[in-house]
Amino acid sequence: MIAFQDVHKYYGDYHALRGITATIRAGEFFSLLGPSGCGKTTLLRTIAGFEGIDRGVVMIDGKDMAGVPANKRPTNMVFQSYAIFPHMSVAENVGFGLRRAGLSKADLAARVGEALEMVGLKGYGARAAHALSGGQRQRVALARALILKPKVLLLDEPLSALDKKMREHMQVELIRLQRQVGITFILVTHDQEEALVMSDRIAVMFEGEIAQLADPETLYRRPNSRTVANFIGTMNFLPATVTSEMGGRIEIEAAGFGAMALEAAQAPGAVTGGEVSVGFRPETLTVLFDGQSAGDRESMATIEEVVYFGDMTYYDVRLDGTQSPVRISMRNVFGRPVLDIGTRTRVGWSPGAMVLFR
Ligand SMILES: Nc1ncnc2c1ncn2[C@@H]1O[C@H](COP(=O)(O)OP(=O)(O)OP(=O)(O)O)[C@@H](O)[C@H]1O
Ligand SMILES: [Mg+2]
């Protein structure tokens, strides 16, 4: 649906987009995820046609968009600071973009009704826009974009102004809406959880570049760099040495774990040879209680910190032979004690959950 080929964008001397190459499929829920200032809004605006590019190609639906103005593109954007007109009614807001389309009053009302129904605001048309909650205003902004029946809906941090509860509610609503209308959604967010929950695929951006583009599970399980790993969730790192590489098998030696063999896919950053880091998520290690056996391998460790979260306990443990503690997250189970600082414990782990980094 959308193809970027080596897209560059400068603001004066500032190189805001540094060679973006990516394809977004039709009907996909796609997210641009990255820290503030990395170029997410800029990239979205190059799709919408609000921003020209200095080099490269942006294609929509197989057509080069060079010279095609925003109002001739099959896209519609919901802006970072969504502005609805407070002095108008909900229906007037939603119908705004169609007011010059030459529809009869009845047809316009039908289209407005349809759009309001899509966003769960059926019957709100006559309400004054200023008399809506934040979540309802957000839906009006969505309805206003959807009524124009774009092939691609561009959403720039549409939920960031909402409180946590409302945001989670709207996340589910947006997923439902996208499935229902079947058009391509491109969402900009700096919230990694939001991106993981909502997207078919995610492009992680840093400083004007896409660091990794993959589905949520791949991004989480096999980040291709430490930067991506740290941006998405928590990852532990321990130093390791590559001892042999043969036929897609990488053997490493890591203090705390000992020797283990990994598959080539566990080094998504194409790490080879020498001193590396082995990374693992907190939930891939298990504190083994009395009588429990490890599914795979086990190591000895000392508990250095305990953070009790009600449903979860986070243990910072130091594996024997290592310098710094690693974090383990454990789901609390009724009847199982929370261990104290200083406790010696066995820790279960699996080579399959490890990722190698430079
Ligand atoms: N019109 C402009 N003129 C000059 N610099 C700009 C302009 N718009 C954006 N920039 C710069 O380009 C970089 C990328 O901006 P952009 O708005 O795309 O970031 P973003 O990833 O959307 O960030 P945020 O999460 O804060 O919205 C930033 O460093 C920003 O200061
Ligand atoms: Mg932005």
Side-chain angles (χ1 to χ4, degrees):
M1 190 72 212
I2 313 257
F4 300 103
Q5 290 159 19
D6 197 28
V7 170
H8 290 260
K9 167 79 189 170
Y10 289 86
Y11 291 114
D13 288 344
Y14 186 72
H15 201 173
L17 298 177
R18 307 181 184 184
I20 300 288
T21 297
T23 306
I24 298 171
R25 300 169 190 145
E28 183 165 49
F29 201 125
F30 192 93
S31 292
L32 299 170
L33 171 69
S36 184
C38 72
K40 305 179 297 291
T41 295
T42 303
L43 189 58
L44 207 63
R45 289 172 65 87
T46 68
I47 304 171
F50 298 127
E51 207 75 75
I53 56 174
D54 295 295
R55 207 164 89 212
V57 182
V58 176
M59 311 245 288
I60 302 181
D61 221 1
K63 292 191 225 24
D64 188 342
M65 287 293 120
V68 179
N71 61 359
K72 293 281 184 309
R73 299 193 182 192
T75 58
N76 214 327
M77 186 149 163
V78 177
F79 293 94
Q80 193 156 2
S81 52
Y82 58 95
I84 63 169
F85 306 116
H87 56 283
M88 291 183 184
S89 71
V90 166
E92 284 162 344
N93 263 283
V94 172
F96 190 75
L98 284 179
R99 72 197 186 289
R100 287 197 227 292
L103 296 181
S104 72
K105 247 188 158 156
D107 286 346
L108 182 62
R111 288 279 290 273
V112 168
E114 203 180 295
L116 283 175
E117 189 160 359
M118 270 184 211
V119 298
L121 285 181
K122 192 177 173 194
Y124 279 67
R127 266 275 190 117
H130 63 78
L132 297 175
S133 73
Q136 289 167 339
R137 280 174 208 221
Q138 186 54 64
R139 290 174 210 220
V140 170
L142 273 172
R144 201 171 56 182
L146 285 167
I147 199 169
L148 302 172
K149 303 196 169 159
K151 287 186 180 168
V152 181
L153 187 64
L154 306 169
L155 301 151
D156 193 355
E157 311 242 15
L159 309 180
S160 59
L162 306 178
D163 67 45
K164 188 170 155 52
K165 261 250 158 66
M166 182 51 92
R167 197 160 67 229
E168 286 170 0
H169 176 70
M170 283 301 293
Q171 285 171 358
V172 177
E173 295 268 296
L174 268 182
I175 297 170
R176 188 187 53 76
L177 183 65
Q178 194 261 348
R179 285 191 191 134
Q180 182 194 331
V181 296
I183 63 176
T184 310
F185 275 35
I186 306 178
L187 173 82
V188 162
T189 178
H190 58 256
D191 180 335
Q192 48 105 7
E193 259 176 46
E194 185 163 294
L196 289 178
V197 168
M198 300 184 72
S199 319
D200 295 315
R201 291 191 309 151
I202 302 168
V204 182
M205 289 183 70
F206 296 113
E207 297 180 4
E209 289 179 301
I210 294 179
Q212 190 168 5
L213 196 171
D215 61 278
E217 198 180 344
T218 304
L219 273 182
Y220 188 77
R221 293 187 52 220
R222 302 264 198 260
N224 66 2
S225 69
R226 289 178 66 138
T227 330
V228 172
N230 281 325
F231 195 73
I232 296 178
T234 305
M235 190 165 261
N236 294 297
F237 300 99
L238 283 176
T241 309
V242 174
T243 51
S244 121
E245 275 174 87
M246 253 187 353
R249 260 170 69 97
I250 308 172
E251 289 180 2
I252 65 165
E253 175 81 38
F257 292 126
M260 67 180 108
L262 308 181
E263 291 166 20
Q266 290 174 260
V271 177
T272 52
E275 300 304 310
V276 295
S277 288
V278 60
F280 46 98
R281 299 288 186 190
E283 69 278 11
T284 63
L285 263 56
T286 314
V287 170
L288 296 171
F289 287 81
D290 293 340
Q292 272 187 311
S293 61
D296 209 337
R297 304 267 300 261
E298 65 178 75
S299 300
M300 282 306 292
T302 305
I303 293 175
E304 294 200 335
E305 189 61 73
V306 181
V307 183
Y308 176 73
F309 248 86
D311 60 335
M312 303 288 291
T313 302
Y314 296 100
Y315 294 103
D316 289 339
V317 310
R318 204 154 55 74
L319 297 165
D320 286 5
T322 62
Q323 302 297 319
S324 45
V326 296
R327 172 149 287 196
I328 302 181
S329 62
M330 293 285 291
R331 184 155 292 285
N332 290 328
V333 175
F334 179 73
R336 192 165 71 188
V338 173
L339 300 175
D340 294 323
I341 292 172
T343 307
R344 294 281 294 157
T345 182
R346 293 177 300 128
V347 169
W349 55 276
S350 167
M354 305 282 165
V355 189
L356 277 198
F357 298 97
R358 171 56 55 218

